[in-house]
Amino acid sequence: MALAGIGDIVRESPAGVGAFNVIQLEHATAIVAGAEALGLPVVLQISENCVRYHGALEPVALAALAVARRADVPVAVHLDHATDRALVEEAVALGLGSVMYDASALPDEENVAATAEVAAWCHERGVWVEAELGEVGGKDGVHAPGARTKPHEAVDYVARTGVDALAVAVGTSHAMTTKDAVLDLELIAELRAAVPVPLVLHGSSGVPDDVLREAVASGMKKINIATHLNKAFTRAVRDYLAHDERVVDSRKYLNAGRDAVAREVSHLLGVLTG
Ligand SMILES: [Zn+2]
């Protein structure tokens, strides 16, 4: 049984921790296979968008938890980007040990109040909480490429909310399909020095490998990657279908996608821990 708490994984990992988004069951098994190949811990994340896709959290959450329990390495199952408190409560009831509560669309004071309440509720139940501080006026919130988290605001936010980890804006944005994000490494180092909890990088799919390495060296701890794995999955499935137009059994092409994701997870974990 290798279901682990994200707090323990983060504390015990000297380098970066890879957190990868699960969409289908194949993602969960692929991500764990990629981590097992290197003997490294990993985080499976389920986003609110993924819940919407499946129509409910329970089926995908229980599947991810079952995959985690059977793994040979520590695996945490985390709720990613939940804007709905009821979803946080459901995740905890289902057995997820960590959540990201995202109130960043609210004005900062409301974000602080709502996040502090969720953090207190989660801590009473031993659940780890990640949150993010919104950028006032930022169209895509904290993850707009031009958005930057100010260290003194981050320190204040963590102190007032009591969260266990903080997603910060240092140059990435979500769903990038090209690897040309420019990260503010000096700001990462400043945030690392000032903020007492682990820092989380969202939207890391657009970050080249060497910059990811530098981001970890500068102080980023949990690295969220989703789009990049979807690219690998879809490319492999598309190639398989193009080469075998008569295939009917979906296991054949999904297996190609799964293998591609497992290889990519191994590669990325190597980058984050190298
Ligand atoms: Zn994110």
Side-chain angles (χ1 to χ4, degrees), residues 81 143 174 202:
H81 278 289
H143 302 305
H174 280 120
H202 281 240

Side-chain angles (χ1 to χ4, degrees), residues 117-138:
E117 250 184 66
V118 168
W121 185 90
C122 285
H123 289 162
E124 280 169 24
R125 290 153 182 86
V127 170
W128 193 90
V129 180
E130 174 185 331
E132 79 180 41
L133 174 61
E135 178 76 12
V136 179

Side-chain angles (χ1 to χ4, degrees), residues 48-273:
E48 197 171 81
N49 287 335
C50 174
V51 172
R52 211 169 286 134
Y53 168 75
H54 287 287
L57 174 61
E58 187 175 13
V60 63
L62 294 187
L65 286 165
V67 170
R69 286 195 187 95
R70 294 177 57 85
D72 294 336
V73 292
V75 179
V77 182
H78 175 74
L79 180 67
D80 186 31
H81 278 289
T83 57
D84 178 4
R85 177 164 174 174
L87 187 63
V88 168
E89 294 180 7
E90 188 186 352
V92 172
L94 288 169
L96 271 65
S98 60
V99 300
M100 179 200 187
Y101 179 62
D102 180 358
S104 64
L106 299 176
D108 283 354
E109 283 303 310
E110 290 174 43
N111 178 342
V112 166
T115 305
E117 250 184 66
V118 168
W121 185 90
C122 285
H123 289 162
E124 280 169 24
R125 290 153 182 86
V127 170
W128 193 90
V129 180
E130 174 185 331
E132 79 180 41
L133 174 61
E135 178 76 12
V136 179
K139 197 170 162 224
D140 299 318
V142 74
H143 302 305
R148 293 289 183 276
T149 301
K150 294 186 183 68
H152 70 276
E153 289 180 1
V155 169
D156 183 57
Y157 182 80
V158 169
R160 293 174 66 202
T161 57
V163 295
D164 304 289
L166 186 68
V168 291
V170 293
T172 52
S173 66
H174 280 120
M176 283 183 72
T177 54
T178 52
K179 278 198 176 278
D180 51 8
V182 178
L183 294 195
D184 192 336
L185 296 170
E186 272 178 40
L187 176 58
I188 293 173
E190 272 181 58
L191 287 163
R192 174 65 282 148
V195 179
V197 297
L199 303 176
V200 184
L201 188 63
H202 281 240
S204 314
S205 291
V207 184
D209 289 351
D210 54 331
V211 182
L212 271 184
R213 240 176 243 120
E214 288 176 303
V216 170
S218 301
M220 295 304 308
K221 190 70 193 186
K222 173 172 173 276
I223 312 294
N224 289 6
I225 299 178
T227 302
H228 182 68
L229 296 186
N230 284 331
K231 270 172 64 184
F233 189 95
T234 302
R235 192 187 308 120
V237 170
R238 187 179 285 130
D239 286 351
Y240 191 100
L241 294 173
H243 285 104
D244 185 355
E245 291 185 1
R246 292 167 57 189
V247 67
V248 170
D249 186 340
S250 58
R251 285 170 292 195
K252 296 216 165 128
Y253 54 85
L254 291 178
N255 195 45
R258 188 165 54 181
D259 285 349
V261 169
R263 275 194 303 276
E264 206 48 42
V265 165
S266 292
H267 169 76
L268 288 166
L269 289 175
V271 168
L272 299 179
T273 57

